[in-house]
Amino acid sequence: MTTALLTDHYELTMVRAAMGSGTAFRRSVFELFPRRLPEGRRYGVVAGVGRMLDAIEDFTFDEETVTYLAERSIANDELAAWLRDFRFTGQMWGYPEGEIYFPGSPLLRVEGNFAECCVMETLLLSIYNHDCAMASAASRMTAMAEGRPCIEMGARRAHEWAAVAAARAAYVAGFATTSNLQAGRSWGVPTTGTAAHSFTLLHDSEEGAFQAQINAFGPGTTLLVDTYDLEEAVRTGVRLTEGKLGAIRLDSGEHAIVARQMRDLLDDLGAEDTKIIVTSDLDEYQIAALRGAPVDGYGVGTSVVTGSGHPTCGFVYKLVARADSDAADAELKPVAKKSLNKNTVGGRKFAMRRLDEQGVAKAEIVGIGNPPSGDGNDRQLMVELVRDGQVVGREELSVGRERHERARAELPVAALRVSKGDPAIPTIILEPDGDEAYNPYLHSIAPTNI
């Protein structure tokens, strides 16, 4: 299905008017970036890159779509003719899946003519704002879990397709599995699932329910043990599996206290290898509070898939350079907004992560033009994603997951505190001559003249 109408009306208003003024096909550079991190966040996580690449391949205007736009006078004849043949033909560079970002990071650079870059604005922002918010929240949770697996199980708390995207983003940020089968089918995210309280209530006895599940999935299954009497349920599960029960799931109560009680009970019953999984409205703060408890895994739902669990990213998509004519060799000139608190920095950007001698991140370096080469402590951040309209940056989701683990490991220790704080490292904007300048995204001063 075409993704072309996942956009705002005003994108086509601008293209139609630009066609009338003769400026629609001027070579242009747009950038998608955050002016700042959400309040209290120390870093952000890039996710949705693969979804974006799929979406732009499907960004076409079929005849039915063009007719819809023409009948409502959104498209005139000239615009309708252009839309019928539309395919993105430009270039995209950006931060790859799983990378860390900071204020001012040029997460995506889109270059082509104004019209083709303009019409994709809403779709790009929609994907990046959603998926990066999910991944940034999930990364905090997996950091607090300190290696213990997190299970994404929030499908019923979100729009059905947003839940699929959230499961994908959470996997990039370190979640081990998801309950969402469509995320497994679409993106290869490992899936898992046990049973709800209704399954126990369906049977004439809790023992009957447990036996049915064990018969179907073997003694290594995970039993939900808090429908009736918790201690009796644990004893029953251990007895039915002869001490080889895979795990118990706790979905209620004071987890830190109950988990310790159940760990002692399991050990007394000879089920030392039986794991304890906790669920029920967990977030990064509760996971951090449970680090000293005998918990082996966390099931997280609402707080990773909905806005109630984390702040939005607030990315913007702005024109930063454009030519004065349609000529292929026309020089690109930086352009920038000077609006109070919404200023931008003109010019095509590059980005690097500056590391110290121990490989710890010190700063986000953002400059204009081509990146310098030869500095072993500056890691290049942007990769080629689309060349002349053809996707060249697609990769397996596991690659982004591994990248995130490496990038997060580079951050200073303070970045992984669960408390609110400032960005973990500063963003430094380079002047064209290489001199360092203040970052206008962080300081309440006029933007530097670059």
Side-chain angles (χ1 to χ4, degrees), residues 9 68 95 113 120 135 217 241 245 327 375 385 392 396 413:
H9 186 137
Y68 167 83
Y95 283 39
N113 63 59
M120 291 189 298
F217 301 103
T241 59
L245 179 60
D375 190 338
L385 299 173
V392 297
E396 294 292 328
V413 174

Side-chain angles (χ1 to χ4, degrees), residues 187-306:
W187 301 107
V189 180
T191 63
T192 190
T194 55
H197 294 287
S198 60
F199 179 75
T200 301
L201 296 171
L202 170 69
H203 291 78
D204 294 336
S205 67
E206 187 170 56
E207 180 171 342
F210 287 177
Q211 189 64 67
Q213 186 173 332
I214 293 165
N215 289 345
F217 301 103
T221 191
T222 299
L223 297 178
L224 179 60
V225 293
D226 61 356
T227 304
Y228 303 120
D229 182 89
L230 180 58
E231 182 175 336
E232 182 60 29
V234 172
R235 290 182 182 275
T236 300
V238 172
R239 173 171 53 82
L240 292 176
T241 59
E242 299 180 347
K244 297 178 181 179
L245 179 60
I248 62 170
R249 175 182 160 208
L250 305 176
D251 192 50
S252 60
E254 184 61 47
H255 286 323
I257 297 172
V258 175
R260 191 165 300 282
Q261 292 172 339
M262 293 305 103
R263 181 74 270 161
D264 289 342
L265 176 59
L266 287 166
D267 292 347
D268 289 344
L269 295 172
E272 292 91 349
D273 294 332
T274 299
K275 299 184 183 303
I276 298 175
I277 308 299
V278 298
T279 59
S280 184
D281 292 329
L282 298 180
D283 58 20
E284 61 263 49
Y285 302 102
Q286 292 169 318
I287 293 173
L290 288 169
R291 283 182 292 191
V295 172
D296 300 290
Y298 308 92
V300 186
T302 304
S303 64
V304 78
V305 301
T306 72

Side-chain angles (χ1 to χ4, degrees), residues 352 371-375 380:
M352 304 179 294
S373 59
D375 190 338
Q380 302 292 337

